[in-house]
Amino acid sequence: MGLLEFGSPIRCFASILEEIRNPGIQISVDDFGTGYSSLSYIKDLPIDTLKVDQSFVKDIHTNKESKEIARAIINLAKSIGLTVIADGIERKEHVDELIKDGYILGQGYFFSRPLKVGAFEDFMTSIHVAS
């Protein structure tokens, strides 16, 4: 007996993700656009968020191909109701390029280096006070 006799592996994985997702946990595909990520993931899996790989963000302000790939991923995700997070934002120019497409979620050293719990709490408090 092979695995496919019980259903496709992607369908089995999708049902596991759906069980995890039911209590309110969101599912993200990291490093989208590289490696093993695939368009079939966003079609066949119950996901909420795509994270644009940093390889497209790092030179988005100088490289037309990176800019267009990031834009395509953002537009695709938005068109099917997914949230998008840009990974690897390190410069104001990255933010400026991403904002042009109406994109506002991101992570990277531009915002902060990784922080320990206490430092993170202080950081979040200072942001809230400054807002």
Side-chain angles (χ1 to χ4, degrees):
M1 280 195 222
L3 180 60
L4 295 178
E5 291 180 51
F6 298 103
S8 74
I10 194 90
R11 214 172 300 139
C12 292
F13 187 55
S15 67
I16 291 168
L17 289 178
E18 196 61 55
E19 285 183 44
I20 293 170
R21 194 172 177 220
N22 281 338
I25 295 171
Q26 293 191 350
I27 307 294
S28 298
V29 175
D30 196 18
D31 300 332
F32 191 77
T34 64
Y36 292 102
S37 67
S38 166
L39 290 173
S40 68
Y41 289 172
I42 62 175
K43 176 181 160 284
D44 296 331
L45 296 177
I47 61 169
D48 304 288
T49 305
L50 287 182
K51 288 181 67 179
V52 178
D53 187 72
Q54 64 184 346
S55 65
F56 304 119
V57 175
K58 71 179 179 184
D59 62 353
I60 196 170
H61 60 296
T62 59
N63 184 294
K64 181 181 178 194
E65 288 79 13
S66 290
K67 183 187 302 190
E68 292 304 322
I69 291 168
R71 181 179 292 151
I73 293 170
I74 291 165
N75 289 335
L76 173 65
K78 284 182 172 182
S79 73
I80 58 174
L82 298 177
T83 300
V84 185
I85 299 173
D87 193 10
I89 297 175
E90 295 183 359
R91 307 167 59 116
K92 184 177 183 320
E93 293 87 355
H94 298 159
V95 174
D96 294 342
E97 285 301 323
L98 292 163
I99 286 175
K100 286 180 185 176
D101 294 320
Y103 176 73
I104 57 169
L105 298 177
Q107 70 181 61
Y109 290 159
F110 177 76
F111 303 108
S112 174
R113 298 272 181 191
L115 301 170
K116 293 185 179 185
V117 174
F120 175 73
E121 291 169 348
D122 293 343
F123 176 74
M124 293 305 293
T125 301
S126 71
I127 289 174
H128 180 69
V129 170
S131 299

